[in-house]
Amino acid sequence: MRRSIRLVSLVTAGLATSGGFIYGAHSWDPSDFGVVRIGRAVLTTAAITYDYLMTLRSVPPATQEYDIIISQVEPRPLPVHARSARRLLDLCCANRGTYIKLGQHLGALEYLLPPEYTSTLGVLHSRAPSTPLPDVLHIIQEELGKETSELFAQFEETPLGAASLAQVHRAVLRDGQTVAVKVQHPKVRKQSSRDIVIMEILLHMVQTVFPQFDFMWLVEEAKKNLPQELDFLTEGRNAEKMAHMVRKFPFLKIPHIHWDLSTERVLVMEYMEGGQANDLQYMKRNNIDVDQVSRALGQMYSEMIFVHGFVHCDPHPGNVLVRQSEGSRGPEIILLDHGLYQELTDNFRLNYCHLWQALLAADMAGVRRYSQRLGAGDLYPLFACMLTARSWDSVNRGIDRGPVSTEEAQEIRSNAAAYLPQISQLLASVPRQMLLLLKTNDLLRGIETALHTNASASSFLSMSRCCIRAVARHRRQTATSFWSYAHISISESLHLGQLQLYELLLWARTCWLRRWLTLLVHWISYSI
C-alpha cells in the first residue's frame, strides 16, 4: 500500500512539472489551459486513485471480499464511486473539449459501468460550455475569409446548442435559406493531441496501481476518432454517404451540406427542427407514435450495422430529432452530427450478424462460437449480456420472449459494478470496432427506455431481416455456380417470407386484442 501511494505521489509530481513542456511555453497563461489544465487532470486522477486505495486498503486485491466491496450497489452503494464520478465531472467541465468527449463516452455506457458514473457523467450531453460570440465570429471570418454580415442576412448570437468540440448557431443566408452553422471551439484542435498524451500517461499510472482495471481502450479510441471528428469536411462527406445508403427510408432526414460555406472548422448545413428522440412529452403533444419512432430507429440502425457496415456512432438524444411528417404519414427521424462513424470490416460484420442470429434463436452454441470469434474468449456469457443488456437467464430463454422487467434492469446495473474488472478486461480484448457499437447500443437503449418501447418485437424483426440479407449477400458474392447462387436467393426469400408471415400474425393478434379490449370497455360503460 505504501509503495502504491509513493508511486502515485511521484508520478503526480513528475506530470505536474512536465505540464509546461507538453503544452508549450506559450500556454503558461491560465486562461489558455496550460499548467492549470494539466494540473487539474493530474490532481483529479491522483485524488481518485488515492480515494480508492484508502477505501480498499485493508482488503487483499483479487479476492471475493474485494469484489464484493468494489461492487456495492443500491441500497448500500459504495460512496467512493459517487465521489470519483463527481470529481471526473468537475474535471471534464473545467478542461472542456477532449475531456468532455471522453466523459460523454463513459456516461453513455449505462449497462457497462457502475450507475454512479453513468448517471453523473450522462449530464455532459447537455451541459457542454459554449464559446463567446466574438470568438465564434473570428473563426468564421478566419475560415471563410469574410465577415459574418457578408455571408448571412441573419446570424443568431445565442447558440442552439453546444457540444464538446463545437457549437451550432441558426442563421439565414442571403438567398433566404435558413441554415445551421456549426463552429469548432477555438482551442480544441490544438489541445486535443496534448490532452490525449496526458490521459494516456495518467491511465498508465492508474493501471499500475490497479492492474485489474484496463481502460487504455479509451485513449486508443480517442486517438483514432478525434482527428476525424475535428475535420468537419469529413463529417459532411459522412452525412452525404449515409443519406445515399439509406435513401430507401423516406422517414430518415439528413441535412443537406452547403459545401461552398464549409471548411474543416466550419460546417453550414440545412436547418431542420424537431424534438429530441427521448422527449416523451413532446411526442404526446405532437401526436407522434412512439412505437413508430422506435421501429424506425431499429430499421435504420440495423441497416447501417448489418447490411452496410457504416455506422453513425453518436445517437444521443440531441443528435436524433423527431417530427411529424407533413400529411401525417408518420414520424420523421432527423439524424445530426455525422462526425463519429465506425466502418466495420466484412469479417467482423458477418460474425456480428451470426452472433445476433444466434442470440435471437437462443442458440447457445452459436452464441459461444461467434462471441469467441469476436474476441470474448471464456467471457462470452458476460459479452452476450453486455451486448443485449439482458441477464444470462434471459439470453438462454431467448431475448425476444419478453421485455426487460424492473428486477432484471436492476440486476443488470448491479452486475455492471460487480463485474467491472472483467468488463474492463473484455473491452480491452474485443476488436476496436466493437467499442463504438457497444456505446451506440447503449445510447439507443436509453432512447427506448425513455419512450417505454424496450425490446419491441418489431425491432427484433428488423434486425433479423437485415442479418438474413447481409449473410445472403455475402454468400452470393462467393457462390461458384448459378445453382448455388439461385439456392442462396431462394433460401433468403423463404426466410424473409417467414418473417413477413410472423409479422402479419403479430399484427393480427394485436388488432384482435385491441378490438376485444375496446368492446369490453364499451360493455362495461353501458353496464354502469
Side-chain angles (χ1 to χ4, degrees):
M1 178 62 67
R2 289 180 179 176
R3 181 178 173 276
S4 296
I5 295 173
R6 187 162 58 250
L7 175 63
V8 170
S9 303
L10 288 172
V11 174
T12 301
L15 283 173
T17 54
S18 64
F21 173 76
I22 292 176
Y23 278 87
H26 63 282
S27 299
W28 279 80
D29 182 358
S31 65
D32 204 23
F33 300 100
V35 171
V36 172
R37 184 179 180 84
I38 190 174
R40 286 195 196 106
V42 171
L43 292 175
T44 299
T45 305
I48 291 173
T49 304
Y50 183 80
D51 200 353
Y52 275 103
L53 282 171
M54 290 297 97
T55 301
L56 303 168
R57 63 185 180 275
S58 60
V59 184
T63 61
Q64 185 176 7
E65 183 184 3
Y66 184 95
D67 290 339
I68 291 171
I69 292 176
I70 202 69
S71 64
Q72 283 183 38
V73 291
E74 297 289 353
R76 293 179 57 244
L78 189 64
V80 69
H81 285 331
R83 289 195 301 270
S84 301
R86 284 195 298 270
R87 289 183 179 119
L88 273 181
L89 177 64
D90 291 341
L91 172 63
C92 292
C93 290
N95 277 7
R96 314 202 300 182
T98 313
Y99 287 85
I100 288 183
K101 195 70 186 174
L102 264 70
Q104 289 174 340
H105 193 144
L106 290 172
L109 301 177
E110 185 176 350
Y111 295 96
L112 306 182
L113 295 178
E116 292 88 348
Y117 281 92
T118 55
S119 61
T120 302
L121 297 174
V123 303
L124 288 171
H125 284 297
S126 56
R127 271 183 51 179
S130 60
T131 295
L133 181 64
D135 291 338
V136 170
L137 300 181
H138 176 73
I139 290 172
I140 292 174
Q141 182 182 8
E142 190 175 69
E143 290 294 305
L144 299 177
K146 292 182 180 180
E147 295 280 352
T148 307
S149 57
E150 298 178 69
L151 298 166
F152 306 103
Q154 296 177 32
F155 188 89
E156 292 190 2
E157 297 183 359
T158 304
L160 294 168
S164 55
L165 307 180
Q167 63 192 53
V168 178
H169 292 257
R170 181 163 46 194
V172 179
L173 296 177
R174 289 292 175 183
D175 63 4
Q177 292 184 70
T178 303
V179 295
V181 184
K182 183 174 181 177
V183 184
Q184 196 171 106
H185 294 313
K187 299 170 185 175
V188 69
R189 181 183 290 266
K190 183 186 297 182
Q191 292 166 346
S192 62
S193 58
R194 300 163 184 172
D195 287 340
I196 291 172
V197 170
I198 296 302
M199 291 176 187
E200 189 168 19
I201 295 171
L202 293 174
L203 282 174
H204 273 302
M205 181 190 82
V206 172
Q207 193 174 3
T208 302
V209 180
F210 297 107
Q212 65 272 45
F213 297 104
D214 184 359
F215 287 100
M216 291 309 300
W217 55 269
L218 264 177
V219 173
E220 292 168 10
E221 282 299 290
K223 282 181 181 178
K224 178 171 69 75
N225 296 323
L226 266 176
Q228 299 175 42
E229 293 189 79
L230 289 169
D231 182 356
F232 290 173
L233 294 178
T234 297
E235 177 177 344
R237 288 190 289 270
N238 287 341
E240 290 195 341
K241 182 176 179 179
M242 179 52 60
H244 177 74
M245 280 183 170
V246 294
R247 62 192 181 278
K248 72 173 188 177
F249 295 134
F251 61 80
L252 179 58
K253 305 297 177 184
I254 294 176
H256 167 73
I257 306 298
H258 291 265
W259 289 108
D260 57 323
L261 295 173
S262 297
T263 69
E264 289 187 354
R265 299 173 69 203
V266 175
L267 186 67
V268 178
M269 70 200 90
E270 177 186 2
Y271 175 72
M272 292 183 170
E273 282 187 295
Q276 291 195 357
N278 65 341
D279 189 343
L280 188 57
Q281 295 307 312
Y282 168 85
M283 309 282 185
K284 290 178 178 178
R285 287 196 306 270
N286 290 274
N287 298 315
I288 295 174
D289 187 333
V290 294
D291 290 318
Q292 285 188 319
V293 171
S294 183
R295 188 181 307 121
L297 285 171
Q299 285 177 336
M300 68 190 213
Y301 265 91
S302 293
E303 189 82 11
M304 287 184 208
I305 294 169
F306 299 114
V307 178
H308 298 292
F310 187 66
V311 189
H312 178 288
C313 287
D314 201 13
H316 69 77
N319 288 339
V320 184
L321 306 183
V322 180
R323 68 185 182 191
Q324 191 67 275
S325 63
E326 295 181 8
S328 297
R329 293 171 301 179
E332 292 179 341
I333 307 291
I334 302 168
L335 193 59
L336 306 176
D337 195 349
H338 297 265
L340 184 58
Y341 270 74
Q342 179 67 68
E343 291 197 55
L344 309 178
T345 64
D346 285 344
N347 183 58
F348 176 93
R349 180 173 57 84
L350 290 167
N351 280 325
Y352 195 62
C353 281
H354 286 304
L355 174 57
W356 270 105
Q357 287 179 313
L359 287 165
L360 292 171
D363 172 12
M364 291 301 104
V367 169
R368 177 174 184 168
R369 178 166 60 254
Y370 291 109
S371 293
Q372 291 180 339
R373 286 188 186 181
L374 289 169
D378 291 337
L379 293 174
Y380 73 91
L382 177 61
F383 181 60
C385 294
M386 289 166 58
L387 202 57
T388 59
R390 301 298 297 266
S391 67
W392 183 237
D393 285 343
S394 293
V395 172
N396 276 274
R397 286 195 306 268
I399 57 175
D400 60 344
R401 300 290 180 182
V404 183
S405 65
T406 304
E407 295 76 15
E408 186 179 0
Q410 181 58 45
E411 178 188 346
I412 293 164
R413 285 181 170 82
S414 301
N415 286 342
Y419 293 102
L420 188 55
Q422 291 87 345
I423 288 173
S424 65
Q425 177 188 340
L426 192 52
L427 293 176
S429 63
V430 296
R432 301 299 91 187
Q433 299 166 79
M434 182 61 70
L435 299 177
L436 284 180
L437 285 188
L438 288 168
K439 173 196 170 186
T440 302
N441 286 346
D442 277 355
L443 286 170
L444 291 172
R445 284 194 195 100
I447 293 174
E448 286 187 337
T449 300
L451 299 181
H452 308 301
T453 58
N454 304 60
S456 63
S458 61
S459 63
F460 290 129
L461 285 169
S462 295
M463 194 179 293
S464 296
R465 282 194 186 93
C466 287
C467 287
I468 290 169
R469 286 169 50 213
V471 172
R473 186 175 68 175
H474 174 72
R475 290 176 63 199
R476 274 195 296 269
Q477 289 171 348
T478 57
T480 57
S481 69
F482 171 79
W483 295 112
S484 61
Y485 187 96
H487 178 266
I488 293 164
S489 297
I490 293 170
S491 177
E492 176 190 11
S493 298
L494 287 173
H495 281 102
L496 291 175
Q498 287 175 338
L499 288 178
Q500 187 68 36
L501 180 61
Y502 178 64
E503 189 171 31
L504 283 172
L505 290 172
L506 283 177
W507 175 81
R509 188 173 65 181
T510 303
C511 289
W512 176 85
L513 182 61
R514 189 185 298 121
R515 191 178 303 114
W516 186 84
L517 288 172
T518 303
L519 290 172
L520 180 63
V521 169
H522 280 298
W523 181 79
I524 292 172
S525 62
Y526 282 126
S527 300
I528 293 173

